[in-house]
Amino acid sequence: KQEVTQIPAALSVPEGENLVLNCSFTDSAIYNLQWFRQDPGKGLTSLLLIQSSQREQTSGRLNASLDKSSGRSTLYIAASQPGDSATYLCAGHGGGADGLTFGKGTHLIIQP
Amino acid sequence: ETGVTQSPTHLIKTRGQQVTLRCSSQSGHNTVSWYQQALGQGPQFIFQYYREEENGRGNFPPRFSGLQFPNYSSELNVNALELDDSALYLCASSLEWATDEQYFGPGTRLTVT
């Protein structure tokens, strides 16, 4: 059974810093991994989807990597802004009928 | 193109009651999935439907049931509500397969008293 862990649980950094959020998963037979953003009390916004055959994906200031052999994914945020403050969730899909398996998220605060 | 919408936004029910939550997928999306998110936790997979057939289920009891309709709308029904059912319920749609990129709605906040 896939388990997903996100470290750290919370992070507070000054505006302008580059930062890395970590996601680890136990089953390397992962089909794809998706990063989401969630604002308080809201739904999830898809940020990046990485297929198992890919090593990384980029969108604007965001870059996500996937290393199946080590069971790790990272989300890199460049030049952080206060508007980036949110909870970031990673979720893996095993390719079957079990849906996405989510971590508990990293609560990110960017200080102005 | 409209996104995924859910109704109602908030709902308060009493233990033992039944509830129906609704979701409208993005047009053309054939797979819809439902998730339960307790406070401070990541979403947990309830079940998914593909072209009106349930084809995947998480670790939830049978009192959680669903329907998917040809017009890309779907329902989550929960019978015999328990206090622990209080959560944010999220639906997500994907174009064809459950492994495609998932697009989530804003959620329905259910409170069971």
Side-chain angles (χ1 to χ4, degrees), chain A residues 5 7-8 10 25 34 51 61 64 69 110 112:
Chain A
T5 304
I7 295 174
F25 46 92
Q34 200 165 350
Q51 301 294 346
R61 294 183 295 108
S69 61
I110 306 299

Side-chain angles (χ1 to χ4, degrees), chain A residues 33 41 65 102:
Chain A
L33 188 136
S65 68
F102 281 85

Side-chain angles (χ1 to χ4, degrees), chain B residues 13-34:
Chain B
K13 289 286 189 179
T14 303
R15 189 172 52 185
Q17 287 187 318
Q18 178 266 343
V19 69
T20 297
L21 310 182
R22 294 180 172 81
C23 171
S24 181
S25 302
Q26 287 191 202
S27 181
H29 281 200
N30 289 310
T31 294
V32 64
S33 305
W34 285 88

Side-chain angles (χ1 to χ4, degrees), chain A residues 29-31 93-100, chain B residues 45 48 55-57 97-99 102:
Chain A
I30 196 167
Y31 190 89
H93 203 297
D98 296 334
L100 288 166
Chain B
F45 174 66
Q48 68 190 30
N55 70 346
R57 190 174 186 93
W97 313 118
T99 50
Q102 304 262 340

